[in-house]
Amino acid sequence: MYCRTCMKWGNKLISCRNYSDAFISKGSTNWQRSAVNEHNISTMHVSANDHESREVLGDNFKKHIVQTPVPADNPLRKCFERMSHNERQMLERSFEVAYFIGKKGRPYSDFPDLIQLEKMHGVEFLSAYGHRNSCKDFIHYISDTIFNENVKDKLLRANFVSVLCDGSTDSGIVEKELIYVIFVDPDTFVPTCSFFSLKEPISQDANGLKLAIEESFRRRGLSDILAKMVFLSSDGTATNSGLVGGLITLFKQDMPWVAFVWCFSHRLELSLKDALSSEFQPVEESLRHLFYMYKNSSKKVRELKYLYKILQNVYDFANNQIRPAKSGGTRWIDHKIRACSQMVDKLGVYVQHTENIIADTSRKACDRDALIGKVRKLKCASLLLKSALFIDLLDSARKFSVISQKAEVNFLLMIDALDDTLLHYQMLHAKLKKDSTYVFEFPTVKSVLSKIEQDIYQGVKLTRVEQAKQSIAANVCEMVANIVVCLNERYGILTAETQEEMTEMEELVTKELKDGDKVLHNIARVLRTSVWVNSSTEPLSCEQLGSLFCVQITSLEQLYNRFQRFLPGVNFLTLENQYLTLVRYACDNMGDNVAAMDPIQTWRTLHEIKGKSFPELFLVVELCLCAPFSNATLERFFSHMSVVKTDWRSKLGEQALEDSLRIHVAGPNLSVFAEMYVSKCVTAWYNDKARRVHQSKRKKYQKRATASKKQNIDLDLKLSDVVHSSSESNSRSESESDCSSSNEMDD
């Protein structure tokens, strides 16, 4: 005989008192009714029912267990729950202090100290809510209020949602899955990217990630919203993008219309890494050696600063940064450019300081020999010229990367930046193909060569300068060609203009990118309003407009066929007529301003004017505006997580961490919170369950005696009993002797 509930939660019942596996794994052989009744009231079975209720009720579990049969209009209850205006003001002050702690990422233990400090300044607070646990409770309600106001209420009114996810490890060595959502604000018709949840998956495979995302939506009461998902964006790992068993594959089993988007920033860095890794490897080794040479040595840094101040009067340096920069990190392009720039700017300082270290005879001979080899590499002219060359080659990609890291959700801006970057490298390749010496006209390369006089650069005698110049002139064209090929392999479909180019690029890109990039390509064509320019002086008919914008109509039809599930009862001819009518209206009333305006702003303006006239078309436009392109916002979030969950707060719980991060990342400044949110937070906290805000501070309970103390107390009691009994016997004997003596005297 088994118990289904206890079998389901058996792993969490092992720590229960009087644990028994009779009804779990072995099966009970006692068929008497008393055995079942005893198991029903056992601590183990009650705990299993508690876990089951938590799973079913979710956020409503606490509300479920605190329900009281006392009616709301009970006079005694109203007397206890009444909150005066003064008490509400004191509560709002406590909420503002709690919000300040959450916004600054401070620990909850600062809350009582700040309350005490404010009381010293004459500010009044409620005495019952000055504990750190009160701060944790306040921050939870603040986080929920911000989420409900800025995300949940708008998601419930939105028609589509895109999910962005990424994983990282916190200071507690716990894997966290971060979830953001993109939706169109129904009030402003502007795409918005908002923090949704931070969840610890049960496993790191695709099934665990899918369950984490579904659980996050279910916990917020938004399970139905997940069915509106149209895009899933993440990095390109097999766990996320795999066609067999990947996260996107699991979602497509229930939602076949969902498209996967590989983060543009990850693609860019991988493209450049593949194109330049072989040429950049020697430079990378020297940069890494310099960084770790000074990383943990304050003495070397002091010596380097002293030498820098001396050479500052001799050479012109671009900046005052002295330490070598780290060449590796999450932002591959930025780290490489920063490290190479520091190498070009301070090469003479690093070489001369390393030579001073070698001249120190107190060091071991093996250490000096290793440094001699490092200095020999630093003096090689190819290292200096390649560092300058990489700065120039990566500059255009850096501008594209900066745009992809913006918090603004503007997909067309990203596509335009991609077109400009690819065009730049194509034109550069064409110039270098004609004349390879054009490399010496690159800004940084030209500046470095102008400072080399008689093979001396910043007091350092460079070796093989002419060979280095010939080497970069011979290889630069191939390097740029590799960049163009690698960019086409990962972005080719997005930049294709004709059907022939599209077919050619489909053969280059990987299978994981094809499906999502085709959808993004169609979205870019539909959203682009800069082509809505009527060059003729006379108005065009619908047939003429249809032939003029046939490419856009084709893309609109492909989107309609893919997402037809969200357009029930809508005919494509209706969409086509609405699109062409809107184009005609924009050309007639907005003129050439359409080409100059930002497309997102154009669609927002047209939605205000024609949104009710063309609901089907703007439903498709809303879907297009939800297109994701980068996970840079999620990467920045992980940096904030390391600020909030430090080594000293490594045991911070999942819900507490999410609440603190929501305030720290997405919360407004303190003045806006005090004006717009604090009253709502206090109301939500007060209405959640019965509160007695005017109660005094509870007294601390006396500590219970331990086993050893109990033994000592029992021993003291026994000794006192013995003393008491002996004193009684003495007194009794004295009384008896007194009685006998009195009797003798009577006799």
Side-chain angles (χ1 to χ4, degrees), residues 59-327:
D59 290 342
N60 297 323
F61 175 73
K62 291 183 179 180
K63 300 179 182 179
H64 177 75
I65 62 177
V66 299
Q67 287 179 355
T68 173
V70 179
D73 57 349
N74 185 279
L76 184 61
R77 177 175 177 178
K78 286 186 176 181
C79 179
F80 280 113
E81 294 183 357
R82 186 178 296 117
M83 181 169 59
S84 64
H85 177 69
N86 187 32
E87 290 170 341
R88 187 179 185 88
Q89 285 185 334
M90 289 189 286
L91 263 177
E92 289 181 356
R93 296 183 196 127
S94 300
F95 269 81
E96 289 172 0
V97 174
Y99 182 81
F100 172 80
I101 289 176
K103 188 66 177 176
K104 298 300 180 181
R106 300 298 303 164
Y108 300 144
S109 57
D110 288 358
F111 183 73
D113 298 332
L114 290 176
I115 293 293
Q116 185 63 30
L117 179 63
E118 289 296 296
K119 286 182 178 180
M120 292 171 60
H121 295 159
V123 183
E124 295 183 353
F125 290 90
L126 292 175
S127 58
Y129 298 100
H131 194 261
R132 55 176 296 171
N133 291 338
S134 300
C135 178
K136 180 180 179 181
D137 198 28
F138 292 162
I139 285 179
H140 174 68
Y141 283 95
I142 292 171
S143 173
D144 276 358
T145 302
I146 293 176
F147 176 80
N148 293 335
E149 289 283 327
N150 299 335
V151 182
K152 185 174 182 178
D153 293 345
K154 295 179 180 180
L155 269 178
L156 291 172
R157 293 183 290 147
N159 296 303
F160 307 100
V161 62
S162 296
V163 176
L164 293 77
C165 59
D166 200 356
S168 181
T169 305
D170 59 17
S171 60
I173 320 299
V174 178
E175 181 71 20
K176 298 291 186 182
E177 189 70 14
L178 176 61
I179 303 170
Y180 264 70
V181 291
I182 295 180
F183 58 92
V184 175
D185 191 333
D187 299 326
T188 61
F189 204 70
V190 174
T192 306
C193 183
S194 300
F195 167 50
F196 188 81
S197 179
L198 186 68
K199 187 70 177 174
E200 179 183 347
I202 58 176
S203 62
Q204 303 306 316
D205 57 359
N207 290 309
L209 299 182
K210 183 174 182 290
L211 289 176
I213 295 174
E214 292 175 345
E215 172 65 18
S216 299
F217 277 84
R218 187 197 61 78
R219 184 165 55 90
R220 290 291 182 178
L222 298 172
S223 300
D224 297 338
I225 301 298
L226 191 59
K228 300 179 181 179
M229 183 173 66
V230 289
F231 290 100
L232 175 67
S233 177
S234 185
D235 53 29
T237 59
T239 304
N240 296 318
S241 63
L243 298 179
V244 179
L247 180 61
I248 182 60
T249 305
L250 297 181
F251 272 116
K252 279 192 172 184
Q253 292 176 359
D254 301 325
M255 299 177 286
W257 59 83
V258 177
F260 178 77
V261 177
W262 188 353
C263 172
F264 281 28
S265 300
H266 286 89
R267 294 197 219 180
L268 178 64
E269 293 178 357
L270 291 174
S271 300
L272 296 174
K273 208 170 185 178
D274 294 343
L276 303 175
S277 58
S278 59
E279 294 290 337
F280 194 74
Q281 186 175 0
V283 181
E284 172 74 18
E285 292 178 357
S286 298
L287 293 175
R288 191 186 308 113
H289 163 71
L290 276 178
F291 173 75
Y292 286 106
M293 179 178 174
Y294 294 98
K295 180 183 179 182
N296 298 320
S297 178
S298 57
K299 178 183 177 181
K300 292 179 181 178
V301 174
R302 287 196 304 270
E303 295 172 353
L304 193 66
K305 288 182 178 179
Y306 181 74
L307 181 60
Y308 169 73
K309 290 180 179 179
I310 297 175
L311 297 178
Q312 195 174 13
N313 300 323
V314 182
Y315 305 109
D316 294 331
F317 297 110
N319 55 64
N320 294 325
Q321 183 181 350
I322 300 173
R323 286 175 177 264
K326 186 178 180 180
S327 61

Side-chain angles (χ1 to χ4, degrees), residues 315-437:
Y315 305 109
D316 294 331
F317 297 110
N319 55 64
N320 294 325
Q321 183 181 350
I322 300 173
R323 286 175 177 264
K326 186 178 180 180
S327 61
T330 54
R331 297 181 179 179
W332 190 86
I333 298 175
D334 291 341
H335 282 88
K336 293 295 181 289
I337 292 180
R338 193 180 301 114
C340 290
S341 299
Q342 196 67 8
M343 166 74 78
V344 171
D345 190 44
K346 305 290 191 311
L347 178 65
V349 182
Y350 298 144
V351 171
Q352 293 186 39
H353 181 247
T354 308
E355 290 178 341
N356 293 338
I357 296 175
I358 295 172
D360 186 3
T361 56
S362 62
R363 293 183 174 273
K364 296 181 180 179
C366 58
D367 294 340
R368 285 186 291 164
D369 292 341
L371 290 176
I372 290 173
K374 303 297 182 183
V375 170
R376 189 181 298 115
K377 292 182 179 179
L378 291 176
K379 289 183 176 181
C380 186
S382 62
L383 180 69
L384 177 63
L385 291 180
K386 281 186 177 181
S387 299
L389 176 62
F390 288 135
I391 295 173
D392 293 327
L393 289 180
L394 297 177
D395 184 63
S396 180
R398 181 189 62 82
K399 296 176 182 177
F400 175 52
S401 179
V402 168
I403 294 175
S404 68
Q405 295 169 17
K406 289 184 176 180
E408 179 186 6
V409 183
N410 194 333
F411 174 69
L412 286 180
L413 182 65
M414 193 70 186
I415 295 297
D416 292 340
L418 174 61
D419 291 337
D420 295 340
T421 302
L422 189 58
L423 180 62
H424 168 77
Y425 285 117
Q426 290 174 345
M427 294 176 62
L428 189 61
H429 178 256
K431 291 180 180 179
L432 291 171
K433 196 172 183 180
K434 290 183 179 179
D435 184 10
S436 60
T437 58

Side-chain angles (χ1 to χ4, degrees), residues 493 496 498-508 514:
I493 293 179
T498 62
Q499 187 61 37
E500 291 77 11
E501 291 181 1
M502 176 71 73
T503 305
E504 181 181 353
M505 294 303 171
E506 286 181 1
E507 299 177 355
L508 293 176
K514 283 183 181 180

